[in-house]
Amino acid sequence: MTRVLAVVLGLTACGTDGIDLGGTYQVTAHTADATGCTSPVAVTDPAYVRFTAGSLLGNKYYALSACSDPTQMDCPSAGLYGPFAQPIEDGWRAELGVAQTIGGCVLDYATADAVLMDDALVIDARRYHDETDRPDSECTGQTAVDLGDTLPCVGAEHVEATRIQ
């Protein structure tokens, strides 16, 4: 039997609204490593990113979208990172843990920090993945979150951008 469990942490705002990430930003630098965390290369897309505020059960979060132009009304989601639901110093964090039992235990963990200083945005993101023989009882989204960056890193991304709207 296959089961998929996901844990999204930080849906409580801990008594603070955090910094306002809402807006459109022009990407000025973007690097990514699609297979690990040690060999990033320059990436040309997207040209713009947008953070849109939302609320779930009364808790604020930000959704990240990738846009090809600054006036685009409907931009697609920007990958695995989000929702950015945990206020951190000068920004917000997205954190997600997923587990699947398909002939063994598959754990995936993704985390991203979006920090805004004046109008300069920096997003640092990492993805982790592990396939083991853990018992089903230890194959949970919470296990993926608990192990976090101790799992093998399978992707990294760094974005710098300037707020334009």
Side-chain angles (χ1 to χ4, degrees):
M1 178 176 178
T2 301
R3 75 182 164 149
V4 178
L5 303 171
V7 177
V8 178
L9 296 180
L11 287 178
T12 59
C14 301
T16 180
D17 285 337
I19 196 161
D20 181 9
L21 285 180
T24 301
Y25 302 81
Q26 183 171 11
V27 175
T28 56
H30 185 187
T31 59
D33 183 345
T35 60
C37 290
T38 58
S39 301
V41 295
V43 178
T44 58
D45 287 329
Y48 301 89
V49 294
R50 178 178 300 137
F51 277 101
T52 306
S55 179
L56 178 63
L57 302 173
N59 296 302
K60 189 174 189 174
Y61 70 89
Y62 287 92
L64 175 63
S65 301
C67 305
S68 59
D69 81 54
T71 60
Q72 195 171 354
M73 296 305 292
D74 186 23
C75 304
S77 171
L80 297 175
Y81 309 109
F84 287 78
Q86 298 176 48
I88 60 173
E89 186 174 342
D90 297 321
W92 290 77
R93 174 171 293 147
E95 187 173 45
L96 176 67
V98 178
Q100 301 177 52
T101 55
I102 305 171
C105 179
V106 177
L107 297 177
D108 288 293
Y109 174 71
T111 184
D113 287 346
V115 175
L116 182 63
M117 303 281 291
D118 296 318
D119 286 333
L121 174 71
V122 175
I123 302 170
D124 278 307
R126 300 278 185 277
R127 292 186 321 275
Y128 303 88
H129 177 84
D130 186 48
E131 297 181 29
T132 64
D133 290 328
R134 285 182 181 83
D136 287 358
S137 63
E138 296 175 18
C139 190
T140 66
Q142 186 60 52
T143 300
V145 171
D146 291 345
L147 293 173
D149 63 6
T150 67
L151 298 172
C153 187
V154 296
E157 198 164 3
H158 177 84
V159 175
E160 297 176 14
T162 302
R163 188 191 308 251
I164 58 170
Q165 298 183 28

